[in-house]
Amino acid sequence: MKKTLLSLLMLVVCQIGFAQVSNRVFETYKESQGVQYLDLNPEMMNMMRASNTDPDDADLLKKITSMKILMIEDKTSTTPANITAALNAMGDQGLKQLMEVKEDDTVGAIYTHTKGEVIDEFVIRATSDEGFVLMQMIGTFSQSDIANLTDMAK
């Protein structure tokens, strides 16, 4: 019984720790000079679902519980490189880079955190001559949801 309780406690602590680590990038840089920050909490996501009239978006919107976006337009800022390094360092906390794409002046990457077959965090990073965007979606996604999202971005 003690082993079971200890195992459960460790699992909860690890999950809390991961949530803090994945959000650390946003918390660290949201107040930086030249950074635009948007945080859509669960209540706002509910309002967006209620006002959505596009059936193609409805299924995906149901699965997103919150969303955060960082945007940087200053091309000379070192912040995007620091954010990219921080994301890549999160691999040991479960955030895995699924793919990286380079096309013309744009470099993008997709990261996910999974619990079994369920993807509970989806992060997109894009850097170009025009700026930098980092977007995080928290929710309950399947692999086909991620495939649909990447197809929509093409």
Side-chain angles (χ1 to χ4, degrees), residues 11-77:
L11 179 65
V12 169
V13 168
C14 288
Q15 291 305 317
I16 291 169
F18 175 77
Q20 292 170 346
V21 171
S22 66
N23 287 318
R24 188 177 305 152
V25 171
F26 288 91
E27 293 303 315
T28 299
Y29 295 103
K30 72 180 184 181
E31 300 293 332
S32 298
Q33 181 74 23
V35 172
Q36 298 173 19
Y37 174 71
L38 175 66
D39 184 356
L40 301 173
N41 62 32
E43 291 80 17
M44 185 64 187
M45 295 305 298
N46 285 337
M47 288 173 42
M48 289 175 64
R49 282 188 284 274
S51 64
N52 180 46
T53 58
D54 187 348
D56 294 333
D57 296 338
D59 288 336
L60 184 59
L61 279 174
K62 288 179 195 172
K63 297 178 180 194
I64 302 171
T65 56
S66 67
M67 184 184 302
K68 293 182 182 182
I69 302 171
L70 278 175
M71 295 174 284
I72 303 168
E73 293 179 359
D74 180 4
K75 298 172 195 167
T76 63
S77 174

Side-chain angles (χ1 to χ4, degrees), residues 3 14 19 27 30 41 43 50-51 58 62 66 79 87 94 98 108 114 118 126-127 148 152:
K3 286 183 181 181
C14 288
E27 293 303 315
K30 72 180 184 181
N41 62 32
E43 291 80 17
S51 64
K62 288 179 195 172
S66 67
T79 303
L87 287 172
L98 288 184
T114 59
V118 175
T127 307
N148 291 340
M152 288 169 54

